Amino acid sequence: MRRLGTAAAALVLAGAGLAGTAQAAGAATGPVGKAAAPMVCSTVWGSGDKSATDSDGQPLKNIKTSRSACYDRMVFDISGAKGKLGYHVGYVDKFHQDGSGELIPVNGRAILQIYVSAPSYDGATGKQTYAGRAGKPLPGVNLTGYKTFKDTKFGASFEGQTQVGLGLRAKLPFRVLQSGDQLIVDVAHSW
């Protein structure tokens, strides 16, 4: 029985490591019949702009979202990317489409503007690789039940980068990470 408990704890920790926080695993484990310790979520990420200038140049394939106990997550899938991915993520008062400057309304009390150095089309053929349309919600993304994410809007794919507006419940700490060919933006549920 002890081996089964150890194996289960290892799986929980491995999953939490993939989700980016070991604290989440602590809340899920605990002696049988006892309440788990209160979860402690990190808020050390800050809310200042974050960016990286490297770029692989591969096209964007998909954008997905998910939830965890401590944060909401947006994942940009840039299949085939082999190096560092370029990005710029920061809070804006209003979301304006890159290129045209047209105002795009985004619901929420705060707007996180995300630029990913990956076009939504194949540079060689011009064929669209991601079905985002300017001013429209991100295709296939449903934010029902999310704690922090309130709205998404596709801005543009202009000069080799894709722009997304992410409406949030409030201006909260966020982080940007790369995992293989995915760029990940996590926004904390609280300070």
Side-chain angles (χ1 to χ4, degrees):
M1 186 67 164
R2 185 157 172 83
R3 281 188 186 159
L4 182 59
T6 302
L11 286 172
V12 168
L13 285 173
L18 183 61
T21 178
Q23 288 94 348
T29 60
V32 176
K34 304 245 183 193
M39 182 168 322
V40 177
C41 296
S42 176
T43 58
V44 299
W45 309 332
S47 60
D49 291 1
K50 294 163 180 62
S51 61
T53 56
D54 295 335
S55 177
D56 187 84
Q58 295 297 314
L60 175 67
K61 303 290 186 198
N62 198 14
I63 301 174
K64 305 172 279 201
T65 59
S66 63
R67 301 174 285 178
S68 83
C70 295
Y71 52 82
D72 290 350
R73 171 171 280 186
M74 180 172 278
V75 178
F76 295 81
D77 178 12
I78 306 161
S79 296
K82 292 183 174 38
K84 296 269 186 187
L85 299 171
Y87 60 87
H88 182 81
V89 183
Y91 283 101
V92 294
D93 293 330
K94 295 181 186 229
F95 184 62
H96 293 274
Q97 183 183 25
D98 198 18
S100 75
E102 186 174 324
L103 178 66
I104 298 174
V106 179
N107 295 322
R109 296 185 69 204
I111 302 169
L112 197 59
Q113 179 169 254
I114 304 166
Y115 284 101
V116 179
S117 297
S120 65
Y121 55 87
D122 184 305
T125 66
K127 182 180 176 187
Q128 188 175 16
T129 58
Y130 178 71
R133 292 184 35 208
K136 303 293 182 188
L138 299 180
V141 172
N142 180 352
L143 300 180
T144 303
Y146 280 68
K147 229 176 172 176
T148 298
F149 291 177
K150 297 300 171 197
D151 192 15
T152 64
K153 291 291 171 53
F154 188 82
S157 190
F158 184 70
E159 296 185 350
Q161 63 183 8
T162 298
Q163 175 197 33
V164 169
L166 179 58
L168 305 174
R169 176 177 49 81
K171 187 175 181 179
L172 294 161
F174 69 93
R175 68 178 175 183
V176 182
L177 343 145
Q178 182 176 343
S179 178
D181 55 7
Q182 295 183 331
L183 188 73
I184 300 164
V185 178
D186 293 331
V187 183
H189 291 165
S190 64
W191 277 97

